[in-house]
Amino acid sequence: MAEDYAKLMAQLKSGDLDEFTVEPADFMAFQTAYMQFESRKRIVGKAEKNGKIIYHYDHDQTQ
C-alpha cells in the first residue's frame, strides 16, 4: 500500500505528526507529492543508513 505523502506532510505542518520515514523504494512517490506541496522548503530530511530519510517540518524557519 502506497503512503499518502501529501497527507503526511500536512500532518507535519499542523503538528499532528513529528516525523515520518521514507524508504529508498518509495522515494519517487514521495518526491512527486513533495514537489506539489506548497511549503515544501520547510520539509527537512535527514539521511539515515541504507537510504532511509526521516522528514520533519521546520516550524522555526524564517522566510
Side-chain angles (χ1 to χ4, degrees):
M1 183 175 109
E3 291 284 350
D4 184 347
Y5 291 111
K7 182 178 180 180
L8 290 173
M9 288 185 285
Q11 289 175 328
L12 287 179
K13 183 177 180 179
S14 70
D16 292 337
L17 189 64
D18 291 328
E19 64 184 32
F20 66 85
T21 302
V22 175
E23 299 289 334
D26 300 324
F27 181 76
M28 291 310 294
F30 166 77
Q31 180 70 8
T32 300
Y34 174 79
M35 293 306 294
Q36 296 174 4
F37 193 69
E38 69 175 67
S39 56
R40 67 181 170 267
K41 292 184 180 183
R42 291 181 177 241
I43 303 290
V44 180
K46 179 180 177 189
E48 297 288 318
K49 290 184 179 181
N50 299 320
K52 293 181 184 179
I53 305 173
I54 299 174
Y55 288 95
H56 72 275
Y57 192 85
D58 185 0
H59 292 279
D60 298 325
Q61 183 179 10
T62 58
Q63 290 186 338

